[in-house]
mmCIF file of all heavy atoms in Angstrom:
data_model
loop_
_atom_site.group_PDB
_atom_site.id
_atom_site.type_symbol
_atom_site.label_atom_id
_atom_site.label_comp_id
_atom_site.label_asym_id
_atom_site.label_seq_id
_atom_site.Cartn_x
_atom_site.Cartn_y
_atom_site.Cartn_z
ATOM 1 N N ILE A 261 290.809 26.167 138.078
ATOM 2 C CA ILE A 261 289.823 25.839 137.035
ATOM 3 C C ILE A 261 289.601 27.042 136.126
ATOM 4 O O ILE A 261 289.528 26.904 134.892
ATOM 5 C CB ILE A 261 288.499 25.397 137.691
ATOM 6 C CG1 ILE A 261 288.668 24.035 138.355
ATOM 7 C CG2 ILE A 261 287.374 25.354 136.659
ATOM 8 C CD1 ILE A 261 287.445 23.567 139.141
ATOM 9 N N ASN A 262 289.553 28.227 136.713
ATOM 10 C CA ASN A 262 289.392 29.444 135.917
ATOM 11 C C ASN A 262 290.590 29.666 134.991
ATOM 12 O O ASN A 262 290.442 30.164 133.879
ATOM 13 C CB ASN A 262 289.209 30.649 136.821
ATOM 14 C CG ASN A 262 287.854 30.654 137.510
ATOM 15 O OD1 ASN A 262 286.897 30.037 137.046
ATOM 16 N ND2 ASN A 262 287.758 31.337 138.637
ATOM 17 N N ARG A 263 291.763 29.290 135.500
ATOM 18 C CA ARG A 263 292.966 29.449 134.651
ATOM 19 C C ARG A 263 292.886 28.527 133.431
ATOM 20 O O ARG A 263 293.223 28.930 132.299
ATOM 21 C CB ARG A 263 294.231 29.132 135.476
ATOM 22 C CG ARG A 263 295.525 29.326 134.686
ATOM 23 C CD ARG A 263 295.675 30.771 134.285
ATOM 24 N NE ARG A 263 296.837 30.995 133.433
ATOM 25 C CZ ARG A 263 296.810 30.959 132.112
ATOM 26 N NH1 ARG A 263 295.685 30.647 131.458
ATOM 27 N NH2 ARG A 263 297.895 31.222 131.412
ATOM 28 N N ALA A 264 292.446 27.305 133.639
ATOM 29 C CA ALA A 264 292.282 26.368 132.517
ATOM 30 C C ALA A 264 291.206 26.877 131.551
ATOM 31 O O ALA A 264 291.349 26.735 130.319
ATOM 32 C CB ALA A 264 291.902 24.992 133.053
ATOM 33 N N PHE A 265 290.183 27.472 132.112
ATOM 34 C CA PHE A 265 289.091 28.000 131.267
ATOM 35 C C PHE A 265 289.581 29.118 130.367
ATOM 36 O O PHE A 265 289.122 29.273 129.231
ATOM 37 C CB PHE A 265 287.960 28.479 132.171
ATOM 38 C CG PHE A 265 286.716 28.858 131.443
ATOM 39 C CD1 PHE A 265 286.085 27.976 130.577
ATOM 40 C CD2 PHE A 265 286.154 30.117 131.605
ATOM 41 C CE1 PHE A 265 284.913 28.324 129.898
ATOM 42 C CE2 PHE A 265 285.003 30.485 130.929
ATOM 43 C CZ PHE A 265 284.380 29.591 130.085
ATOM 44 N N CYS A 266 290.533 29.924 130.860
ATOM 45 C CA CYS A 266 291.105 30.988 130.026
ATOM 46 C C CYS A 266 291.777 30.387 128.780
ATOM 47 O O CYS A 266 291.619 30.904 127.672
ATOM 48 C CB CYS A 266 292.135 31.797 130.818
ATOM 49 S SG CYS A 266 291.431 32.836 132.113
ATOM 50 N N ASP A 267 292.505 29.282 128.988
ATOM 51 C CA ASP A 267 293.156 28.628 127.841
ATOM 52 C C ASP A 267 292.103 28.051 126.887
ATOM 53 O O ASP A 267 292.278 28.103 125.659
ATOM 54 C CB ASP A 267 294.085 27.507 128.338
ATOM 55 C CG ASP A 267 295.299 28.054 129.052
ATOM 56 O OD1 ASP A 267 295.790 29.133 128.656
ATOM 57 O OD2 ASP A 267 295.770 27.418 130.016
ATOM 58 N N ARG A 268 291.050 27.532 127.452
ATOM 59 C CA ARG A 268 289.990 26.989 126.593
ATOM 60 C C ARG A 268 289.365 28.086 125.745
ATOM 61 O O ARG A 268 289.137 27.902 124.540
ATOM 62 C CB ARG A 268 288.922 26.310 127.453
ATOM 63 C CG ARG A 268 287.729 25.845 126.647
ATOM 64 C CD ARG A 268 286.657 25.203 127.528
ATOM 65 N NE ARG A 268 285.409 25.089 126.797
ATOM 66 C CZ ARG A 268 284.318 24.493 127.254
ATOM 67 N NH1 ARG A 268 284.340 23.945 128.465
ATOM 68 N NH2 ARG A 268 283.223 24.428 126.542
ATOM 69 N N LEU A 269 289.118 29.251 126.344
ATOM 70 C CA LEU A 269 288.492 30.356 125.606
ATOM 71 C C LEU A 269 289.423 30.949 124.549
ATOM 72 O O LEU A 269 288.956 31.475 123.553
ATOM 73 C CB LEU A 269 288.048 31.462 126.570
ATOM 74 C CG LEU A 269 286.877 31.106 127.494
ATOM 75 C CD1 LEU A 269 286.602 32.221 128.482
ATOM 76 C CD2 LEU A 269 285.610 30.801 126.668
ATOM 77 N N THR A 270 290.730 30.863 124.780
ATOM 78 C CA THR A 270 291.673 31.341 123.774
ATOM 79 C C THR A 270 292.045 30.223 122.800
ATOM 80 O O THR A 270 292.941 30.397 121.971
ATOM 81 C CB THR A 270 292.951 31.890 124.447
ATOM 82 O OG1 THR A 270 293.526 30.874 125.271
ATOM 83 C CG2 THR A 270 292.643 33.119 125.286
ATOM 84 N N ARG A 271 291.349 29.085 122.938
ATOM 85 C CA ARG A 271 291.484 27.933 122.033
ATOM 86 C C ARG A 271 292.859 27.266 122.120
ATOM 87 O O ARG A 271 293.300 26.610 121.164
ATOM 88 C CB ARG A 271 291.157 28.309 120.577
ATOM 89 C CG ARG A 271 289.767 28.930 120.437
ATOM 90 C CD ARG A 271 289.380 29.096 118.992
ATOM 91 N NE ARG A 271 289.163 27.798 118.334
ATOM 92 C CZ ARG A 271 288.070 27.047 118.472
ATOM 93 N NH1 ARG A 271 287.064 27.446 119.251
ATOM 94 N NH2 ARG A 271 287.968 25.900 117.825
ATOM 95 N N ASP A 272 293.490 27.406 123.263
ATOM 96 C CA ASP A 272 294.710 26.636 123.518
ATOM 97 C C ASP A 272 294.264 25.361 124.233
ATOM 98 O O ASP A 272 294.454 25.192 125.441
ATOM 99 C CB ASP A 272 295.676 27.462 124.402
ATOM 100 C CG ASP A 272 297.015 26.772 124.589
ATOM 101 O OD1 ASP A 272 297.177 25.617 124.114
ATOM 102 O OD2 ASP A 272 297.906 27.369 125.232
ATOM 103 N N PHE A 273 293.661 24.466 123.460
ATOM 104 C CA PHE A 273 292.960 23.321 124.032
ATOM 105 C C PHE A 273 293.909 22.324 124.717
ATOM 106 O O PHE A 273 293.570 21.733 125.747
ATOM 107 C CB PHE A 273 292.146 22.608 122.955
ATOM 108 C CG PHE A 273 290.970 23.416 122.491
ATOM 109 C CD1 PHE A 273 290.929 23.913 121.192
ATOM 110 C CD2 PHE A 273 289.905 23.672 123.324
ATOM 111 C CE1 PHE A 273 289.843 24.659 120.748
ATOM 112 C CE2 PHE A 273 288.815 24.421 122.892
ATOM 113 C CZ PHE A 273 288.786 24.922 121.600
ATOM 114 N N GLU A 274 295.071 22.126 124.159
ATOM 115 C CA GLU A 274 295.990 21.165 124.760
ATOM 116 C C GLU A 274 296.440 21.621 126.152
ATOM 117 O O GLU A 274 296.441 20.835 127.107
ATOM 118 C CB GLU A 274 297.204 20.953 123.858
ATOM 119 C CG GLU A 274 298.173 19.913 124.407
ATOM 120 C CD GLU A 274 299.309 19.564 123.446
ATOM 121 O OE1 GLU A 274 299.217 19.961 122.269
ATOM 122 O OE2 GLU A 274 300.282 18.933 123.895
ATOM 123 N N THR A 275 296.808 22.893 126.241
ATOM 124 C CA THR A 275 297.218 23.430 127.558
ATOM 125 C C THR A 275 296.059 23.366 128.536
ATOM 126 O O THR A 275 296.245 23.008 129.710
ATOM 127 C CB THR A 275 297.712 24.879 127.418
ATOM 128 O OG1 THR A 275 298.806 24.915 126.500
ATOM 129 C CG2 THR A 275 298.156 25.444 128.752
ATOM 130 N N ALA A 276 294.880 23.691 128.048
ATOM 131 C CA ALA A 276 293.693 23.655 128.915
ATOM 132 C C ALA A 276 293.432 22.244 129.420
ATOM 133 O O ALA A 276 293.147 22.034 130.611
ATOM 134 C CB ALA A 276 292.475 24.170 128.161
ATOM 135 N N ALA A 277 293.557 21.239 128.530
ATOM 136 C CA ALA A 277 293.320 19.852 128.916
ATOM 137 C C ALA A 277 294.284 19.415 130.004
ATOM 138 O O ALA A 277 293.917 18.752 130.978
ATOM 139 C CB ALA A 277 293.446 18.942 127.689
ATOM 140 N N LYS A 278 295.541 19.797 129.850
ATOM 141 C CA LYS A 278 296.557 19.437 130.851
ATOM 142 C C LYS A 278 296.242 20.094 132.199
ATOM 143 O O LYS A 278 296.418 19.459 133.248
ATOM 144 C CB LYS A 278 297.940 19.852 130.359
ATOM 145 C CG LYS A 278 298.436 19.041 129.176
ATOM 146 C CD LYS A 278 299.794 19.551 128.711
ATOM 147 C CE LYS A 278 300.309 18.715 127.528
ATOM 148 N NZ LYS A 278 301.625 19.217 127.037
#
Side-chain angles (χ1 to χ4, degrees):
I261 290 174
N262 289 337
R263 182 63 185 92
F265 188 56
C266 290
D267 290 326
R268 175 181 165 175
L269 290 176
T270 57
R271 304 190 68 79
D272 186 356
F273 291 112
E274 183 173 347
T275 301
K278 291 178 180 179

